[in-house]
Amino acid sequence: MEGADEFMKYRSPLVSRYASKEMAYNFSDRKKFTTWRKLWIYLAKAEKALGLLITDAQILEMETHAEEIDFAMAAEEERKLRHDVMAHVHTYAHCCPTAAPIIHLGATSCYVGDNTDLIMLRDGFDILLPKLARVIDRLANFADKYAHLPTLGFTHYQPAQLTTVGKRACLWLQDLVMDMRNLQRARDDLRFRGVKGTTGTQASFLQLFQGDYNKVEELDRMVTEMTGFKKAYLVTGQTYSRKVDVDCLSNLASLGATVHKICTDIRLLANLKEIEEPFEKEQIGSSAMPYKRNPMRSERCCSLARHLVVLIADPLQTASVQWLERSLDDSANRRISLPESFLTADIILSTLQNITEGLVVYPKVIERHIRHELPFMATENIIMAMVKAGGNRQDCHEKIRVLSQEAAAVVKQEGGDNNLLARVQRDPYFAPILEQLDALLDPKTFIGCAPQQVQVSNLF
């Protein structure tokens, strides 16, 4: 019956349907509250080392029970106290009676709350960065494989100068490399809030150490080091600056924009039947139209990427409305926006990896599309060849213009194939260059430096 109760309340699909186990755990209550207890242990160890009357037995007791969290008791305590941190202080103290007097000594709620958030942000980036690196690796392999395969370029979603399948993938690749740089920088720029007290002045710790400022600073340094951070923020209010959240989530939102663009391109190319995402043997594209092969992974990425992009509005507004040293209207918002940003980024990177590992290219379809458009694109080459053969540029331009309009009418008004090349071959005016036509219309002569640019892109 307990299992059935799970379906009687809302569950976020970010966790129940999409996210990886490691990212879901990173923002779980278990991770959060065990980290709180680790922070209380670090604080007690540092305070003891700096001379406060804390015993080895008290610290051992805290370490022994660090993983034993009675969540039911904590919930009941919070119901009574209306304070989550004090609820967990009491719950921890219940199983650590000897250490109870020194748990949370000198600290404020944000000592565990904010510092844990920073640890989760750091660990969240550590989960995302390898996933992004794998996507970049898979896409680089794809770009290299198709570096020389000509394909129609599109501007305004209208046929344009040829490029190659690999070169187009490098446009995606370059954006992802920028995201890799941004996420790595955001991760490396994170600092620890540290041991700063209620308004960031460290007054409670200065009192504990009887005015010894050097010990207060050493306490901050020691606890920062224990958590794996190299530095703490030099100044804080009660909280670390909420612009840190802006910095983190803005880079995730930027990643969302990149993924949306990539997956939109794949969806457009799937419509043209030039490229498809992986499609499982028993996958169903439509309940009503069994022939369909919908790009559902790319559509999912676009859907979730939109959510990721708009989440940046939360920390922007939160940072802007924090009053003086702190106001609590940040808390409920951050409980949602921070985890959801990382969970969403995690999902779209995992899905994009799946897509890039199995992209299917259809060269014959691409070739057919090129044949439909290339005669129009080759007109300038034909004019130049005629001039070299002794023709007049203006006369040749007019001939080509008339024949192009006639061929375009066949394509647009009659639904026929582009027959410009056949018209040129039938016109006696172009007799001097008939033997050159195949070479003039070789797609590989229209791709410029695209293959070389793919090789350069491998240096990203």
Side-chain angles (χ1 to χ4, degrees), residues 30 42 74 98-99 105 120 123 125 148 188 263 284 372 383 389 432:
R30 170 67 65 179
Y42 298 154
T98 303
L105 182 59
M120 288 178 166
D123 294 351
F125 280 124
H148 296 270
D188 293 343
C263 290
I284 296 175
H372 287 168
I383 292 172

Side-chain angles (χ1 to χ4, degrees), residues 200-386:
T201 65
Q202 299 171 301
S204 59
F205 297 104
L206 192 63
Q207 183 176 1
L208 281 173
F209 291 110
Q210 298 179 335
D212 191 332
Y213 173 75
N214 290 329
K215 284 190 175 182
V216 173
E217 285 296 286
E218 182 63 9
L219 178 71
D220 200 12
R221 188 200 65 76
M222 289 176 67
V223 176
T224 298
E225 186 177 274
M226 289 178 188
T227 59
F229 283 89
K230 295 179 180 179
K231 295 180 179 179
Y233 292 108
L234 294 176
V235 294
T236 71
Q238 187 171 93
T239 69
Y240 67 79
S241 170
R242 295 311 184 216
K243 282 185 70 68
V244 174
D245 297 343
V246 173
D247 192 28
C248 292
L249 268 61
S250 64
N251 287 303
L252 295 180
S254 181
L255 170 65
T258 296
V259 174
H260 199 293
K261 185 267 191 295
I262 293 171
C263 290
T264 299
D265 284 354
I266 292 172
R267 292 163 66 190
L268 293 170
L269 293 169
N271 174 260
L272 297 174
K273 296 181 173 58
E274 293 189 355
I275 288 179
E276 283 184 345
E277 64 178 37
F279 198 89
E280 306 299 333
K281 183 179 180 181
E282 297 183 4
Q283 182 175 327
I284 296 175
S286 168
S287 62
M289 295 167 281
Y291 59 87
K292 293 195 74 178
R293 293 170 65 94
N294 297 331
M296 49 82 69
R297 291 174 178 84
S298 297
E299 290 175 308
R300 180 192 305 159
C301 282
C302 287
S303 181
L304 291 168
R306 288 201 304 275
H307 180 58
L308 181 55
V309 167
V310 300
L311 282 172
I312 183 56
D314 279 333
L316 283 170
Q317 294 188 55
T318 296
S320 70
V321 300
Q322 285 297 284
W323 297 351
L324 306 174
E325 278 65 48
R326 193 266 173 97
S327 53
L328 193 60
D329 57 347
D330 63 341
S331 179
N333 187 288
R334 295 175 70 253
R335 288 175 191 265
I336 300 169
S337 61
L338 297 186
E340 286 204 356
S341 292
F342 279 83
L343 288 163
T344 307
D346 177 68
I347 297 159
I348 63 176
L349 285 177
S350 296
T351 308
L352 187 58
Q353 179 184 337
N354 177 268
I355 293 170
T356 54
E357 286 176 345
L359 280 174
V360 181
V361 177
Y362 296 106
K364 293 297 183 182
V365 177
I366 293 172
E367 182 183 344
R368 185 172 74 246
H369 291 160
I370 290 174
R371 285 200 308 269
H372 287 168
E373 302 293 340
L374 192 59
F376 293 138
M377 298 178 188
T379 53
E380 186 174 2
N381 289 6
I382 294 173
I383 292 172
M384 293 303 101
M386 278 297 299

